[in-house]
Amino acid sequence: VNMVKNDLEYVDLGGAPAESVRELRLSENPLLMRRNSGVVEVGAWRAKFPNLKTLYLDICNIRQFARPLDASSPRSANDSLSLFSSSAASWSSLFNLSLRGNALQPLLAIDFDCLSSLKNLYAPDTQTVLPRSLPIMSHLLQLVLCNAGLTQLPSNLGTALPQLKLLDVSNNPELNDMQPLLQLASSLEVLKCRAVGFGDGSTVIPGVQVFPDVPGDSNNSNNSSFAQDSASECILLKNLTKLRRLRRLDLRFNRCNSDLYAPPPALVSQTMQGSGAAGSNGAAGAAAISLDGALSPQMSGQGDAGAAQGMLSSARIDEEMWLRQDHAFVLNLKLARLTHLTQRRDSYWILAISLFPKLEELDGIKVGPH
């Protein structure tokens, strides 16, 4: 059922269950949740759509995606996303959920306990906060939370998401604790941490002053190759060594490697009317992103649209333009004889290729056969 951009003001959840509906597209109906104060009450939706597998609710002004509040259960400030009764059943039929471009303030609250069967969660350009600890979501394959205002990742990210293949937390500049990333499951194939808060040991960043120690790195500063390998961007790579299945890795525009690449070009200015992301206009929206399709490491439309009309996204750059600028950047480094930077960049690339045998793309640049 496709009801994108239909000026819907509510969804009638009464009456007989719509058992035949497998996919529901309700994106870009900003008044849809007004009657419910922005709350998607999972129990009522599950009762109405018991066999629903894919749900698009992009740009619908959602504030909560949750089960009914259990007033008898006290909650603390530390449990801001675990507000709901643990007795309610999970929405077991739902595999794919898109919440792009929703809450700004207050932050979108997602009750992950009711999404235990989810395979793909796509919520860029939606200001949210993740709990300190996630429930086990053993089926989740793709998690996209770029440009989401994140300041932390759950401490149990790896154990909670044992089958995760794609993680995109790009454009969250206050996300500076990399410890949860070190626990990611070895199943991961795509990791995008572009323009987050990673820095080097000489930069004081809240929560991170230096990268964690790497086994084998000792005081051997007289060795020039060690001096290159101990650069913070290389230490970051070494801490991700268990991700042997990585095919795409993007760590650009972080403090630790910002001097190795051209800066990002002017951001693409797009409002929600021209997003081209999921649910934008029928068939075209379907072509832009299919949540239940094969794993797509570079899903088009990621972060393309704002959370409200007229809001510009900061999650998307013109990759072709950046590649041209980066090529010129490298030439300028050589002309200026800045060999320490070219050597650092070369060492970084050589190390990445040696650590990740399946790597196809590093920092937006294709990797040749190796």
Side-chain angles (χ1 to χ4, degrees):
V1 177
N2 190 341
M3 298 294 289
V4 171
K5 282 188 176 180
N6 267 268
D7 295 325
L8 298 180
E9 296 189 7
Y10 70 98
V11 175
D12 186 358
L13 299 177
E19 297 181 353
S20 62
V21 178
R22 299 293 190 272
E23 179 172 328
L24 184 59
R25 293 175 177 262
L26 298 173
S27 298
E28 300 190 47
N29 288 290
L31 301 180
L32 183 68
M33 304 306 301
R34 183 169 59 178
R35 288 190 181 184
N36 304 94
S37 301
V39 178
V40 176
E41 198 277 279
V42 170
W45 283 71
R46 184 184 63 233
K48 183 64 178 182
F49 304 105
N51 299 314
L52 190 68
K53 296 183 180 298
T54 301
L55 176 60
Y56 290 88
L57 287 171
D58 303 332
I59 314 177
C60 290
N61 287 318
I62 296 171
R63 296 291 180 263
Q64 291 183 358
F65 192 95
R67 291 169 290 172
L69 181 66
D70 186 353
S72 64
S73 300
R75 67 177 189 261
S76 67
N78 292 332
D79 297 326
S80 58
L81 289 185
S82 300
L83 308 180
F84 310 97
S85 168
S86 59
S87 61
S90 172
W91 196 348
S92 59
S93 70
L94 190 65
F95 293 161
N96 312 293
L97 176 62
S98 183
L99 297 173
R100 174 181 59 86
N102 276 290
L104 292 177
Q105 291 294 335
L107 302 179
L108 175 65
I110 301 175
D111 179 13
F112 289 93
D113 283 315
C114 67
L115 298 173
S116 61
S117 298
L118 209 62
K119 294 182 178 180
N120 302 290
L121 175 58
Y122 177 73
D125 296 320
T126 291
Q127 301 295 290
T128 188
V129 60
L130 297 177
R132 295 179 181 177
S133 179
L134 280 173
I136 300 298
M137 302 178 70
S138 57
H139 303 286
L140 196 68
L141 300 177
Q142 300 188 93
L143 178 59
V144 178
L145 292 169
C146 52
N147 198 34
L150 297 179
T151 59
Q152 68 173 15
L153 294 173
S155 59
N156 67 336
L157 195 63
T159 55
L161 310 177
Q163 300 299 322
L164 193 66
K165 293 184 180 295
L166 183 151
L167 175 65
D168 188 349
V169 290
S170 297
N171 290 82
N172 289 291
E174 295 185 26
L175 185 62
N176 52 44
D177 184 359
M178 65 171 289
Q179 288 292 339
L181 297 179
L182 308 186
Q183 305 167 18
L184 287 169
S186 59
S187 60
L188 200 72
E189 297 181 14
V190 180
L191 176 59
K192 296 185 178 183
C193 298
R194 186 179 68 227
V196 294
F198 296 161
D200 59 28
S202 63
T203 305
V204 177
I205 304 170
V208 174
Q209 294 185 357
V210 294
F211 284 120
D213 293 333
V214 178
D217 281 349
S218 58
N219 294 325
N220 189 18
S221 58
N222 293 328
N223 188 323
S224 61
S225 64
F226 169 80
Q228 291 175 357
D229 287 344
S230 63
S232 55
E233 67 274 2
C234 291
I235 296 177
L236 176 55
L237 290 178
K238 290 179 182 181
N239 276 284
L240 299 174
T241 51
K242 78 171 185 177
L243 304 178
R244 303 285 290 176
R245 298 182 186 177
L246 272 184
R247 294 186 292 110
R248 283 173 170 81
L249 175 63
D250 196 347
L251 300 171
R252 284 175 292 170
F253 317 139
N254 287 296
R255 294 182 181 92
C256 65
N257 61 9
S258 60
D259 52 350
L260 301 184
Y261 292 109
L267 298 172
V268 176
S269 296
Q270 278 191 303
T271 62
M272 73 177 191
Q273 287 86 350
S275 68
S280 59
N281 54 15
I289 170 176
S290 178
L291 286 176
D292 53 349
L295 177 70
S296 172
Q298 185 70 39
M299 292 184 292
S300 61
Q302 286 188 0
D304 288 356
Q309 185 173 355
M311 175 187 171
L312 299 183
S313 165
S314 62
R316 184 178 177 227
I317 64 171
D318 187 327
E319 292 288 356
E320 291 185 5
M321 179 184 294
W322 179 81
L323 285 172
R324 292 193 297 270
Q325 292 179 355
D326 187 64
H327 180 71
F329 175 82
V330 173
L331 291 178
N332 288 333
L333 289 181
K334 294 178 179 178
L335 289 173
R337 298 183 179 180
L338 297 175
T339 55
H340 66 290
L341 289 179
T342 56
Q343 289 175 358
R344 262 184 63 200
R345 176 163 165 155
D346 290 345
S347 297
Y348 171 68
W349 268 73
I350 291 170
L351 180 61
I353 291 172
S354 67
L355 292 177
F356 310 114
K358 297 182 180 296
L359 198 63
E360 300 172 3
E361 183 178 295
L362 175 62
D363 296 337
I365 303 173
K366 298 295 182 183
V367 175
H370 59 96

